[in-house]
């Protein structure tokens, strides 16, 4: 495993197939939370999806379906998912109140404490640029 694979392993390989799909569904909901889809956010989501080998969008009908948060059954899966979602919410340099509200609700449904969620939010705000660069560098196969 080369160095370039490491960041990918760290966050993404934590998730199993079911978790990846649930994450993809949450990402789609998050991007639309502020009712505008900034290109940066959308582009970032597309790259993360390519990275996780998830098909582009969840089927339209599924969009409003409830996400089964029970699939996030380990602390690592919960935290990896939330960190990715926080990163997506910062991809357009704007952490919108609607996004904040959703993430707070989802963290609660996953059983992640507000303190933990806040640590992830702060980390994401600080590291969005590096993450964007890593994902750019890894590129799409």
């Amino acid at each position: 495993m080369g160095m370039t694979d490491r960041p990918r392993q760290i966050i993404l390989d934590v998730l199993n197939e079911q978790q990846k799909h649930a994450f993809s569904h949450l990402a789609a909901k998050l991007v639309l939370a502020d009712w505008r889809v900034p290109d940066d956010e959308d582009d970032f989501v597309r790259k993360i999806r390519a990275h996780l080998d998830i098909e582009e969008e969840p089927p339209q009908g599924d969009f409003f379906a409830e996400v089964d948060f029970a699939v996030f059954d380990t602390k690592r899966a919960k935290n990896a998912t939330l960190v990715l979602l926080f990163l997506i919410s910062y991809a357009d340099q704007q952490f919108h109140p609607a996004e904040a509200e959703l993430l707070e609700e989802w963290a609660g449904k996953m059983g992640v404490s507000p303190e933990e969620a806040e640590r992830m939010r702060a980390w994401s705000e600080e590291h969005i640029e590096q993450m964007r660069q890593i994902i750019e560098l890894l590129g799409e196969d």
Side-chain angles (χ1 to χ4, degrees):
M1 180 166 71
M3 268 308 288
T4 49
D5 296 334
R6 289 267 307 284
R8 176 176 177 161
Q9 304 314 112
I10 291 165
I11 294 199
L12 305 176
D13 288 359
V14 167
L15 303 180
N16 66 30
E17 285 310 303
Q18 264 185 312
Q19 292 163 345
K20 286 178 185 182
H21 284 283
F23 159 75
S24 185
H25 193 157
L26 292 171
K29 287 179 183 269
L30 185 65
V31 168
L32 292 175
D34 52 10
W35 292 104
R36 25 183 210 85
V37 180
D39 293 342
D40 293 345
E41 244 174 41
D42 205 39
D43 189 48
F44 193 62
V45 172
R46 233 173 16 78
K47 291 198 167 95
I48 290 175
R49 280 206 180 108
H51 208 64
L52 284 166
D53 302 320
I54 302 171
E55 69 273 8
E56 274 298 288
E57 294 294 326
Q60 265 341 103
D62 280 4
F63 185 79
F64 295 102
E66 276 304 301
V67 173
D68 178 12
F69 287 92
V71 301
F72 301 109
D73 52 0
T74 65
K75 185 178 161 85
R76 291 179 69 201
K78 292 171 188 181
N79 291 1
T81 300
L82 281 172
V83 164
L84 286 171
L85 292 168
F86 275 115
L87 286 165
I88 289 165
S89 69
Y90 276 106
D92 62 352
Q93 270 84 51
Q94 295 249 304
F95 189 52
H96 194 274
E99 294 172 330
E101 208 174 299
L102 270 183
L103 284 161
E104 194 179 316
E105 181 194 323
W106 294 344
K109 287 183 174 174
M110 288 186 206
V112 172
S113 74
E115 296 74 31
E116 276 282 271
E118 173 51 30
R119 277 181 53 207
M120 292 182 228
R121 186 209 59 74
W123 186 90
S124 302
E125 185 177 21
E126 214 173 297
H127 294 89
I128 178 62
E129 276 316 307
Q130 290 97 307
M131 283 303 292
R132 198 201 297 276
Q133 285 165 25
I134 285 168
I135 286 181
E136 291 282 326
L137 286 171
L138 294 177
E140 295 175 31
D141 290 334

